[in-house]
Amino acid sequence: MKLKTILVALAATAAITSNAFAQAPIVIKFSHVVALDTPKGQAAERFKQLAEKATNGRVKVEVYPNSQLYKDKEELEALQLGAVQMLAPSLAKFGPLGVKEFEVFDLPYIFPNKTALYNVTEGPIGKGLLKKLESKGITGLAYWDNGFKIMSANKPLTTPADFRGLKMRIQSSKVLDAQMRALGANPQVLAFSEVYQALQTGVVDGTENPPSNMYTQKMHEVQKYGTLSNHGYLGYAVIVNKKFWDGLPADIRTALEGAMREATTYEKAIAQRDNDMALDAMKKSGKTQFITLNAQQQAEWKKALAPVQKQMESRIGADLINAINKEGAK
């Protein structure tokens, strides 16, 4: 009788323990390198809300902004190792990983407007690029926007000649390296979290960023001039560890895909708004003087940077570059 009581008690304990494990939420660590109030930062928070609601709390999303967990160079390796489950790195990050085709997004002046950009990211070209990440243990979920970039430095940048000899911070990207060299500058690869101090101390003379990144990192406090060149694009891919993603229950995965679609729509809606607001705030601060290029100056910049596309054909693929240029010409 006593044995029977013990067995019943053990069975009950096992059931409770099993039930507790079954109810423990699936944790998704979402790491990124920018501030909470950037378009990416806000969209990550929106995804967290949507995902937890859509899964009735079965999923818990922990967002770590501002390089709290990992810096630029570390985060992709952390994802592949499973130390984090989700990232939204800039598209330039996939070149060093071995998927060089993503560097097409870094080519200067390849996207004349947002319509051409979205035709690529939301169409067969964009989907095909995300598919290439699977061999690296990564599943691509969506493209997020930041916007077109402006140049900044402590001297006015109105012509390509103004870049000569300047140390310009870039992300790790062969295309961005070639871009700065085409302008006569010396490219310097630095983690995003280190840029403000590098500008402040003169380790680098200038950099390129969408206005929202420049403003939220307070770079305008240490840059006297900004040029509204819109010469390049900065976007992100929201990615997850493929093994983790494939191992999720089908209904959870479906719910998370829905949450990501909603978060992506939200992110695109706020990206341009935030860049406009950031630019306005920087102008009002009076710390940075902004220059608008006239038609002749724009033409000079485009002429100086045009050879970069040809130079990168062997790396990125001439067919891919041509396909994107066709979308821009529509």
Side-chain angles (χ1 to χ4, degrees):
M1 188 67 184
K2 188 180 280 188
L3 179 62
K4 187 177 179 184
T5 304
I6 291 169
L7 289 173
V8 169
L10 286 172
T13 303
I16 291 167
T17 304
S18 174
N19 194 40
F21 276 118
Q23 290 177 348
I26 297 163
V27 175
I28 296 177
K29 289 183 180 178
F30 189 162
S31 172
H32 65 80
V33 301
V34 298
L36 275 170
D37 51 353
T38 57
K40 177 161 67 172
Q42 293 175 75
E45 293 297 327
R46 178 60 66 95
F47 172 71
K48 169 185 168 67
Q49 295 165 9
L50 292 167
E52 291 177 355
K53 184 179 178 183
T55 60
N56 294 316
R58 288 170 65 197
V59 168
K60 182 184 178 188
V61 180
E62 298 176 353
V63 181
Y64 298 90
N66 260 333
S67 307
Q68 285 178 7
L69 289 185
Y70 301 102
K71 292 183 180 181
D72 287 347
K73 292 179 182 178
E74 306 161 347
E75 61 176 11
L76 275 170
E77 185 180 0
L79 182 93
Q80 289 175 301
L81 293 171
V84 293
Q85 289 72 45
M86 186 172 286
L87 304 174
S90 58
L91 299 168
K93 299 292 190 303
F94 300 119
L97 192 68
V99 191
K100 297 170 186 174
E101 293 91 339
F102 274 92
E103 290 181 354
V104 76
F105 289 99
D106 292 336
L107 287 170
Y109 294 113
I110 195 164
F111 297 109
N113 49 52
K114 286 280 181 75
T115 302
L117 168 70
Y118 293 152
N119 284 344
V120 170
T121 56
E122 295 172 9
I125 296 173
K127 289 182 175 68
L129 287 171
L130 290 180
K131 201 80 178 162
K132 290 180 181 291
L133 296 173
E134 292 184 2
S135 64
K136 306 294 179 183
I138 294 167
T139 296
L141 298 181
Y143 289 94
W144 281 2
D145 223 0
N146 194 329
F148 291 105
K149 295 181 284 188
I150 62 179
M151 291 284 192
S152 68
N154 284 324
K155 61 175 283 191
L157 302 172
T158 54
T159 70
D162 295 327
F163 284 86
R164 198 164 295 139
L166 291 184
K167 293 173 290 183
M168 298 292 287
R169 181 267 171 177
I170 60 165
Q171 300 185 69
S172 180
S173 163
K174 295 294 184 185
V175 176
L176 297 179
D177 184 278
Q179 169 192 278
M180 291 303 185
R181 292 185 191 281
L183 292 168
N186 298 317
Q188 309 284 317
V189 175
L190 277 177
F192 186 68
S193 58
E194 298 168 8
V195 178
Y196 176 88
Q197 188 175 7
L199 292 169
Q200 187 181 41
T201 56
V203 171
V204 292
D205 300 307
T207 185
E208 57 170 13
N209 268 300
S212 64
N213 276 6
M214 185 178 176
Y215 179 62
T216 55
Q217 296 295 320
K218 303 186 189 305
M219 293 179 200
H220 64 293
E221 295 180 358
V222 288
Q223 294 279 265
K224 292 177 182 175
Y225 295 93
T227 303
L228 308 179
S229 49
N230 294 329
H231 62 281
Y233 169 72
L234 179 64
Y236 312 106
V238 187
I239 58 174
V240 287
N241 176 287
K242 187 177 187 299
K243 186 177 179 182
F244 167 80
W245 187 252
D246 291 347
L248 291 173
D251 61 324
I252 291 284
R253 206 162 48 237
T254 300
L256 292 176
E257 286 168 348
M260 182 56 66
R261 280 194 297 273
E262 282 191 59
T264 299
T265 301
Y266 168 77
E267 196 277 340
K268 287 178 177 176
I270 65 170
Q272 190 60 53
R273 181 203 72 188
D274 282 14
N275 277 315
D276 292 343
M277 287 168 58
L279 184 58
D280 188 51
M282 288 190 288
K283 285 178 178 178
K284 285 178 179 173
S285 78
K287 293 176 179 177
T288 303
Q289 181 182 330
F290 288 94
I291 300 160
T292 300
L293 299 176
N294 62 35
Q296 183 182 340
Q297 290 165 338
Q298 280 274 14
E300 285 179 26
W301 281 54
K302 287 180 180 178
K303 184 180 178 182
L305 291 168
V308 177
Q309 284 200 20
K310 195 73 183 169
Q311 195 179 335
M312 289 294 135
E313 281 184 356
S314 60
R315 181 177 176 84
I316 297 170
D319 289 347
L320 177 58
I321 294 171
N322 291 336
I324 291 179
N325 279 325
K326 280 181 185 175
E327 291 294 341
K330 285 181 180 176

